[in-house]
Amino acid sequence: MASLFENTLKRVWEAAKHLDLNPTVLEKLKLALEMTHARLSIRMDDGSIKSFPAWRCRYDDSRGPTKGGIRFHHQVTVDEVEALALMMTIKCALMDLPLGGAKGGVKVDPRGLSNTELERLARAFIRALAHVIGPDRDIPAPDVGTNETTMAWMTDEYSTIVGKKTPEVITGKPVALGGSLGRDDATARGAYYIMRYKADAPGLKHGAQVVAIQGFGNAGQHIAKLLAADGCRIVAVSDSKGAVYAPAGLNIGELLAAKLDGGSVTSMAGSPGVTLISGDALLAVECEILVLAALENMVHKGNAGSIKAGVIVELANGPITPEADEILEAMNIVILPHILANAGGVTVSFYELVQNRQGEQWTLDEVHARLKTTMEKQADAVWAHAQDKNITLRTAAYLLRSRGLPQLWRRFLRTEVRPPALHLQRHPAQR
């Protein structure tokens, strides 16, 4: 199987076929602008020292400071970090945000660390990479295995290093520390707004629908609550330990309680009407909408043919391989691509950045209204291009990103230098 980075590049190249691009433009996207490797050594609670590999990739800063989450996961690789940074580059451009793309990762199982060990690891990440990040250079955010508490530790560590409060260096913070209202469910809410706005499009009909959700982390939980409140019947949900299936529908409140108390939705198995199934079996349940909110490459040529849903919503980054895409397209399944469907997260992160820089705090209604407008506008653009060129929504989304490349790079290609980047003014202790 091709790597996640190879798959991402393949999709960029496929979209580029629909444009008359100077080859030098695509050459700029072949490699990341900057990849930083680090070793994070922390003292464990038992007094021992343990080291963890870490990475931060700044893929492209043509549009502005790079932006992307920091992932704590035991399967993180440098290839994954680079691929996700490229995806973020494309996503920010698609949403017309003045940001480039980045991603960070630490190879660690956060479930195996105490709260104090997690704090030491978060602060160690910033100490190792303070010269890379900065409000005018690279702005991290939470991702798989990290949350607003992690971001609070990181923001505090960076502020200590530079000698001043710098809330705008990181987004996804607690509201009390400069975070934005509405950031907690922004990824899911953005997809929800598109699903409801485009409800008249083929496959996205109004009314009660049957839904299966792969992945019950932050995004999966929030999309479940939003869809259930809208009258949808959630019949299957999975997490890293397995899946549960209830044809009559699952109670979302009970699912959330099970996840909190038992650490997994599988603890609901055995309840009236609820059975335990495998993660792959979830893909094959009878449903109208399948939400992919887990990890990358979860749908591949080996299981794509079993999917019965008419619509797939990609809340995770890169959950479908290119080979699976071809199978699903032949099955006439509509796919809301992740660079559009999950872009609500980075969009509200941008709102948080704006609020921090302006010293303001927007109301929840204002955040929701802005997000809804942005998601609907970009959804219209993607659908229009897909229909105009008779291509998939995914290709249309990548194509929209690529349309701006010739103008963006033209003056730099003439002089054969890359666009200038904004650099962090380091504290003397870092020099």
Side-chain angles (χ1 to χ4, degrees):
M1 181 185 293
S3 72
L4 183 63
F5 182 68
E6 290 170 336
N7 284 342
T8 306
L9 272 183
K10 180 179 180 180
R11 284 175 170 145
V12 174
W13 262 235
E14 287 296 319
K17 292 178 181 178
H18 298 274
L19 295 171
D20 182 21
L21 288 180
N22 185 314
T24 312
V25 174
L26 290 176
E27 187 68 24
K28 297 288 186 180
L29 291 176
K30 274 187 175 181
L31 298 171
L33 173 63
E34 179 180 296
M35 175 69 79
T36 304
H37 300 244
R39 180 191 66 212
L40 310 183
S41 296
I42 66 168
R43 187 172 298 281
M44 308 300 284
D45 290 345
D46 63 4
S48 64
I49 300 294
K50 193 168 183 179
S51 297
F52 304 89
W55 303 272
R56 184 67 180 175
C57 178
R58 298 178 63 247
Y59 204 93
D60 186 271
D61 63 358
S62 305
R63 297 179 60 88
T66 51
K67 185 86 185 71
I70 299 172
R71 177 171 294 195
F72 284 8
H73 195 271
H74 64 284
Q75 293 180 330
V76 169
T77 65
V78 65
D79 173 85
E80 178 184 57
V81 170
E82 189 172 21
L84 294 171
L86 173 55
M87 292 178 195
M88 185 60 80
T89 299
I90 296 166
K91 190 184 305 180
C92 288
L94 172 63
M95 300 309 292
D96 200 24
L97 302 175
L99 300 167
K103 207 71 177 184
V106 180
K107 190 176 182 64
V108 60
D109 184 352
R111 296 169 299 183
L113 300 185
S114 69
N115 201 50
T116 54
E117 290 167 342
L118 281 172
E119 179 176 357
R120 293 180 198 126
L121 187 64
R123 291 180 180 275
F125 185 94
I126 295 302
R127 287 195 298 273
L129 294 160
H131 65 290
V132 173
I133 69 172
D136 295 318
R137 194 172 194 271
D138 180 43
I139 305 161
D143 198 84
V144 175
T146 57
N147 54 31
E148 65 174 22
T149 301
T150 319
M151 297 305 105
W153 292 328
M154 290 184 171
T155 303
D156 180 68
E157 189 66 25
Y158 183 87
S159 296
T160 299
I161 290 171
V162 300
K164 63 177 180 179
K165 291 294 182 183
T166 316
E168 66 271 25
V169 71
I170 286 174
T171 61
K173 306 179 296 293
V175 174
L177 297 179
S180 176
L181 294 168
R183 178 60 184 87
D184 55 347
D185 71 349
T187 300
R189 185 172 290 276
Y192 171 78
Y193 284 151
I194 292 175
M195 294 167 70
R196 288 298 165 251
Y197 180 62
K198 288 295 182 181
D200 294 330
L204 293 177
K205 59 187 179 182
H206 262 306
Q209 297 183 48
V210 181
V211 180
I213 301 173
Q214 182 192 60
F216 207 59
N218 179 274
Q221 291 176 22
H222 283 297
I223 197 70
K225 288 190 285 188
L226 288 166
L227 292 176
D230 208 31
C232 292
R233 177 160 45 103
I234 314 299
V235 297
V237 167
S238 71
D239 58 25
S240 61
K241 295 183 179 179
V244 287
Y245 175 57
L250 292 158
N251 182 292
I252 303 304
E254 292 177 358
L255 273 175
L256 292 170
K259 184 74 174 175
L260 183 64
D261 296 339
S264 173
V265 297
T266 57
S267 61
M268 277 195 67
S271 300
V274 182
T275 58
L276 182 68
I277 61 174
S278 69
D280 259 1
L282 176 138
L283 298 176
V285 304
E286 294 285 350
C287 62
E288 295 167 291
I289 297 174
L290 172 62
V291 178
L292 301 177
L295 294 171
E296 305 81 28
N297 295 338
M298 298 298 288
V299 176
H300 46 79
K301 64 180 181 180
N303 58 21
S306 67
I307 292 176
K308 297 181 177 62
V311 177
I312 295 176
V313 179
E314 294 185 325
L315 276 189
N317 288 309
I320 301 176
T321 67
E323 294 81 9
D325 258 341
E326 295 176 5
I327 296 171
L328 298 171
E329 184 178 357
M331 294 167 65
N332 295 317
I333 294 176
V334 177
I335 300 174
L336 269 64
H338 61 95
I339 60 171
L340 173 65
N342 71 19
V346 71
T347 301
V348 176
S349 276
F350 172 65
Y351 297 164
E352 181 175 331
L353 177 62
V354 172
Q355 292 172 76
N356 290 162
R357 290 185 171 181
Q358 294 179 343
E360 298 179 354
Q361 186 171 77
W362 301 345
T363 66
L364 183 60
D365 286 344
E366 185 175 4
V367 172
H368 285 172
R370 288 174 182 264
L371 177 62
K372 185 173 184 292
T373 298
T374 299
M375 299 306 295
E376 291 177 354
K377 175 184 176 182
Q378 299 313 115
D380 274 339
V382 170
W383 252 265
H385 275 272
Q387 294 171 358
D388 182 55
K389 297 185 176 292
N390 193 30
I391 54 179
T392 65
L393 294 176
R394 186 189 307 285
T395 301
Y398 277 84
L399 182 59
L400 274 176
R401 181 266 184 268
S402 301
R403 288 178 67 217
L405 287 175
Q407 294 76 25
L408 183 65
W409 286 102
R410 186 172 294 144
R411 68 186 180 93
F412 300 113
L413 295 180
R414 282 201 298 267
T415 56
E416 296 190 3
V417 297
R418 76 170 185 83
L422 293 171
H423 295 282
L424 169 71
Q425 294 297 315
R426 299 191 202 173
H427 189 268
Q430 296 176 264
R431 294 173 183 166

